[in-house]
Amino acid sequence: VVVVVATIISMSVCSAREEITTSCTSNLNCSLNGVCTAGACVCDKPWGGPGCGVLQYLMNQSISSKNLYPHNDSDAPATGPCVTKTHVCDALNTWNGPIAGPINGKYHMFNPLYRKGSLLGTQALMYGVSDNIEGPYTWATWPNMGSNPAFVTFNDPNAGNKTVYSLWISGKVYTASDIAGPYTEAGPGPGGNPAPIFHNGKWFATSQRTNMIVTTDKLGNPWTPYANISVKLDRGTQEDPFLYIDTRGNWHIINHAYDTSEYEQCGKSVLSAHVFSPDGLNWFMLKPDVEPYTHTVHYEDGTTHTYNTLERPNCHFNAQGQLTHINLAADLMTQDAGCEDYKSCPAIHNGHCACTNCKYADHAGTIIIALDV
């Protein structure tokens, strides 16, 4: 057994167990992803590593999970970039969206499709349906609604506890009585790139920079502050939150994270962050920094892909509340070597294109990773 000491910093799930990995004095030393037993963390699967802080991937991921929207990508070159000063390939990008289900035995995905050569402007919302969360999905084209969607299924106390489906996108919330729509506007969202949950009859959410939890008692009513989140990585910027409450009642936020000074050895670049709370009010983070999801994925065809960036995490849970999958936005081309010489790159740092920014010139898409449960 390898024992690694992890501490926590403070500012203001599951039944299956993993190996003991970390000495501890409380469950906070175990990221609230396990229990502190006799001075050592016993992690809930699929968590492991220092402080139960790292998701453990299955080794043989399905081929369909490499790209959940594989259409219009045949023109992408074998190596990048896809976008240069003189040419734009015909491959169209997606950049991840929520997957809901199973609902009536099906999984439902809402994934924006971007304009040719762009990750900044969308042209449609793609609605996918599959028998398997890892695909393949059958896609229908919906009107453009914008980028960075979130999704929550809830029982509405204002409608006799009927099941309602809510789609959060481009600063607004839309609801429907059928997951396939039609969706009608219900009110403003909590901010860009939202991470909402419905808990004990109220809404809670955070947004892009993950600085605060806000709340409202009803969609359409004003959002008010609930808690500040001051804990941060020592290096890098946190964004793209996914908020959930586990089976023990603990709160968690998983973020994408990045550092634009990193342009080589992208497989070791800053990628993700995890903050956690026993009550939604007081938030903690392991120190030194422990990243919850990692760059390298192994597939059943024998290939291995070290993604230079993986963003917009969305998590999925089984009927017992155990985390089983995480789907992510991915640069499908550049790997560990990076793209320091790319010219179509925003925010070039000291003459180099950062690992996290290769996506703007590469072909980008959506992957899903099965976790070791």
Side-chain angles (χ1 to χ4, degrees), residues 41 46 94 202 231 236 254 272 308 322 330 337 368 371:
C41 287
T94 63
K202 293 185 177 182
V231 287
I254 295 178
S272 61
N308 64 325
Q322 186 175 30
I368 189 167
L371 304 173

Coordinates of all heavy atoms in Angstrom, one line a residue, residues 41 46 94 202 231 236 254 272 308 322 330 337 368 371:
C41 N -7.3 6.8 4.3 CA -8.5 7.0 3.4 C -8.8 5.7 2.7 O -8.0 5.0 2.2 CB -8.2 8.0 2.3 SG -8.2 9.7 2.8
P46 N -15.3 5.4 -8.4 CA -14.1 5.2 -9.2 C -12.9 6.0 -8.7 O -12.0 6.3 -9.5 CB -14.5 5.6 -10.6 CG -15.5 6.7 -10.3 CD -16.2 6.3 -9.1
T94 N -17.6 20.0 -32.5 CA -18.5 20.0 -31.3 C -17.6 20.3 -30.1 O -16.4 20.2 -30.2 CB -19.3 18.8 -31.1 OG1 -18.4 17.7 -30.9 CG2 -20.1 18.4 -32.4
K202 N -35.1 23.4 -4.1 CA -34.5 24.7 -4.5 C -33.5 24.5 -5.6 O -32.9 23.4 -5.7 CB -33.9 25.4 -3.3 CG -34.9 25.9 -2.3 CD -34.2 26.7 -1.2 CE -35.1 27.3 -0.2 NZ -34.5 28.1 0.8
V231 N -11.4 28.8 -2.6 CA -10.3 27.9 -2.8 C -9.9 27.8 -4.3 O -10.8 27.7 -5.2 CB -10.5 26.5 -2.2 CG1 -10.5 26.6 -0.7 CG2 -11.9 26.0 -2.7
G236 N -2.7 28.0 -12.5 CA -3.7 27.8 -13.5 C -5.1 28.5 -13.2 O -5.3 29.0 -12.1
I254 N -16.4 19.7 -10.2 CA -15.2 19.3 -11.0 C -15.1 20.4 -12.1 O -16.1 20.7 -12.8 CB -15.4 17.9 -11.6 CG1 -15.4 16.9 -10.5 CG2 -14.3 17.6 -12.6 CD1 -15.6 15.5 -11.0
S272 N -7.4 19.9 -14.7 CA -8.6 19.9 -14.0 C -8.5 20.2 -12.5 O -7.4 20.3 -12.0 CB -9.2 18.4 -14.1 OG -8.3 17.5 -13.5
N308 N -4.3 16.9 -25.3 CA -3.6 18.1 -24.8 C -4.6 18.9 -23.9 O -4.1 19.6 -23.0 CB -3.1 18.9 -26.0 CG -4.2 19.4 -26.9 OD1 -5.2 18.7 -27.1 ND2 -4.0 20.6 -27.4
Q322 N -23.6 6.1 -8.1 CA -22.2 6.0 -8.3 C -21.7 6.6 -9.6 O -22.4 6.4 -10.6 CB -21.8 4.5 -8.3 CG -20.3 4.2 -8.3 CD -20.0 2.8 -8.2 OE1 -20.8 1.9 -8.6 NE2 -18.8 2.5 -7.6
A330 N -12.9 17.8 -26.4 CA -11.5 17.4 -26.6 C -11.0 17.9 -27.9 O -11.7 18.0 -28.9 CB -11.4 15.9 -26.6
A337 N 2.9 16.5 -27.6 CA 3.9 17.4 -28.2 C 3.5 18.9 -28.3 O 4.3 19.8 -28.3 CB 4.3 16.9 -29.6
I368 N -16.2 10.5 -24.4 CA -16.7 10.0 -23.1 C -15.8 8.9 -22.5 O -15.2 8.1 -23.3 CB -18.2 9.5 -23.2 CG1 -18.7 9.2 -21.8 CG2 -18.3 8.3 -24.1 CD1 -20.3 9.0 -21.8
L371 N -15.4 4.9 -16.3 CA -14.6 4.9 -15.1 C -14.6 3.5 -14.5 O -15.5 2.7 -14.7 CB -15.2 5.9 -14.1 CG -15.3 7.4 -14.7 CD1 -16.0 8.3 -13.7 CD2 -13.9 7.9 -15.1

